[in-house]
């Protein structure tokens, strides 16, 4: 290990602590701003209906073993018969729904707002850090790392002789960016963490076809093996009672 | 902080173990409680490690110790019948492990820098 650098205490007081505090506060601010900007849109009745049908079919699938075979068969036919079952989708409608999704400007607008509320504060903070604090060592991680991490931890310092465990201020910003996620989920509740995953789902779900999930649900309902659980429950009750008695 | 209330208790299926008799929402709630408590503990542990001035391996050993203690505590909270709250042991032991590691490293570094290197 190379000889220890002597760092000025002013760096701690005016860089390290303010940078971390600002990161936390900006995270909180972003949370509340995105909460304010979130627009409530009236969901389309058809889409809600399809979603509810899928939920019902899923419930039937997970609880299938608790009802008699006859009841299960009746319900399955109700959901998936080829003429008027709830999960059966006529051929022509698939295209229609997708086109409707794309033509809805509200959704694209909402997504853009969410993305902007994510990107703008990050860009601003990064510019701020770059402008004021670029080019000096701000912190030191308490464990040794290999040379490969140099570009990650000493972003903005072009010295190859400094020990790798010293962290430049710009890289401290990145460390904060990733490491504070846990803290945010604690102080802001689950909604903050949920937001990210929901955004991901919306991203991948753009131009997503609800009829596809209907037919997927239908297929999985069709192939399910029904096995009534009640006969086995006598044995289970026997076991439980035996345990109680003994 | 992070109240250890596993509110939803699921019916355990001992005789008919192949039957899935738990509710997904309660399971999710339990997982959330675990995630919160482990994140909180990893942050607190990071600050402790930083203030005590642990370096290198010692800090990670402290992290593993804290995680092990939290796992044992959660299992004790579940009255040692893990299967009535979770579907498998890995949920308690490994969940939130790496997300917690990141917070741990950050707060470890932060406290260590403030106290020791300047």
């Amino acid at each position: 290990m190379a000889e220890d650098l002597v760092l000025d205490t002013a760096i701690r007081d005016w860089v390290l602590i303010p940078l971390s505090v600002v990161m936390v506060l900006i995270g909180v601010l972003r949370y509340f701003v995105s909460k304010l900007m979130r627009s409530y849109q009236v969901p389309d009745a058809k889409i809600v209906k399809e979603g509810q049908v899928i939920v019902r079919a899923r419930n039937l699938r997970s609880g299938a073993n608790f009802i008699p075979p006859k009841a299960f068969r009746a319900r399955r036919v109700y959901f998936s018969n080829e003429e008027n079952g709830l999960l059966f989708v006529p051929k022509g409608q698939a295209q229609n729904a997708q086109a409707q999704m794309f033509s809805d400007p509200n959704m694209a607008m909402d997504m853009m707002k969410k993305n902007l509320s994510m990107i703008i504060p990050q860009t601003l903070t990064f510019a701020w850090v770059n402008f004021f604090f670029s080019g000096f060592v701000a912190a030191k991680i308490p464990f040794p790392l290999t040379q490969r991490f140099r570009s990650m931890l000493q972003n903005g310092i072009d010295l190859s002789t400094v020990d790798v465990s010293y962290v430049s201020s710009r890289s401290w910003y990145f460390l904060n960016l990733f490491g504070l996620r846990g803290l945010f989920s604690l102080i802001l509740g689950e909604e903050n963490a949920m937001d990210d995953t929901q955004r991901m789902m919306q991203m991948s779900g753009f131009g997503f076809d609800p009829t596809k999930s209907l037919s997927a649900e239908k297929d999985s309902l069709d192939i399910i093996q029904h096995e009534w659980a009640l006969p086995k429950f006598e044995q289970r009750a026997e076991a439980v009672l035996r345990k109680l008695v003994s | 902080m992070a109240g250890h209330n596993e509110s939803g208790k699921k019916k355990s299926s001992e005789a008919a173990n192949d039957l899935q008799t738990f509710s997904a929402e309660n399971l999710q709630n339990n997982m959330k409680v675990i995630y919160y408590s482990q994140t909180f503990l990893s942050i607190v542990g990071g600050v402790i490690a930083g203030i005590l001035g642990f370096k290198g391996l010692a800090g990670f050993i402290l992290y593993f110790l804290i995680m092990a203690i939290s796992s044992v505590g959660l299992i004790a909270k579940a009255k040692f019948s893990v299967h009535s709250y979770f579907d498998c042991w890995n949920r308690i032991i490994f969940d939130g492990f790496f997300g917690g590691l990141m917070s741990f490293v950050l707060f470890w570094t932060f406290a260590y820098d403030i106290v020791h290197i300047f």
Side-chain angles (χ1 to χ4, degrees), chain A residues 90-239:
Chain A
K91 277 273 152 57
Q93 281 187 349
Q95 237 43 36
N96 194 8
Q98 202 168 9
Q100 198 184 13
M101 201 79 131
F102 268 113
S103 66
D104 185 12
N106 221 351
M107 199 164 151
M109 191 68 196
D110 208 46
M111 254 177 48
M112 215 167 77
K113 265 192 217 162
K114 271 182 185 158
N115 275 336
L116 280 185
S117 74
M118 187 82 180
I119 290 167
I120 285 178
Q122 266 179 25
T123 335
L124 282 181
T125 343
F126 184 68
W128 174 70
V129 170
N130 234 350
F131 185 72
F132 283 104
F133 306 132
S134 70
F136 54 85
V137 169
K140 178 176 190 272
I141 48 171
F143 46 90
L145 282 175
T146 52
Q147 289 289 326
R148 194 164 298 184
F149 287 92
R150 183 179 294 282
S151 62
M152 193 179 102
L153 288 177
Q154 293 184 356
N155 201 331
I157 303 177
D158 299 325
L159 282 177
S160 55
T161 49
V162 186
D163 193 78
V164 185
S165 58
Y166 284 98
V167 181
S168 74
S169 52
R170 202 192 293 174
S171 300
W172 177 246
Y173 161 78
F174 282 117
L175 273 182
N176 270 297
L177 199 65
F178 297 119
L180 283 177
R181 203 163 290 162
L183 183 73
F184 285 145
S185 74
L186 278 183
I187 58 178
L188 300 177
E190 78 208 278
E191 212 168 327
N192 191 54
M194 286 269 284
D195 230 5
D196 278 350
T197 49
Q198 270 177 357
R199 196 173 301 131
M200 285 293 172
M201 267 167 65
Q202 271 199 345
M203 290 266 206
S204 59
F206 195 53
F208 148 88
D209 193 355
T211 54
K212 217 169 261 170
S213 62
L214 278 183
S215 56
E217 194 60 40
K218 177 174 177 291
D219 289 344
S220 51
L221 196 60
D222 276 337
I223 61 168
I224 195 172
Q225 293 282 329
H226 182 260
E227 190 185 344
W228 198 19
L230 197 59
K232 271 195 225 149
F233 265 67
E234 287 175 358
Q235 291 159 16
R236 189 184 157 190
E238 188 193 350

Side-chain angles (χ1 to χ4, degrees), chain A residues 142 172 180 183 186, chain B residues 39-54 59 62-63 66 100-116:
Chain A
W172 177 246
L180 283 177
L183 183 73
L186 278 183
Chain B
T39 309
F40 178 65
L41 273 174
S42 66
I43 287 176
V44 170
V47 173
I48 290 173
I51 290 174
L52 294 182
F54 285 159
L62 183 82
Y63 179 69
I66 286 176
L101 190 65
M102 202 67 201
S103 319
F104 176 80
V105 167
L106 183 79
F107 279 86
W108 180 19
T109 312
F110 190 58
Y112 178 78
D113 288 352
I114 285 178
V115 178
H116 287 278

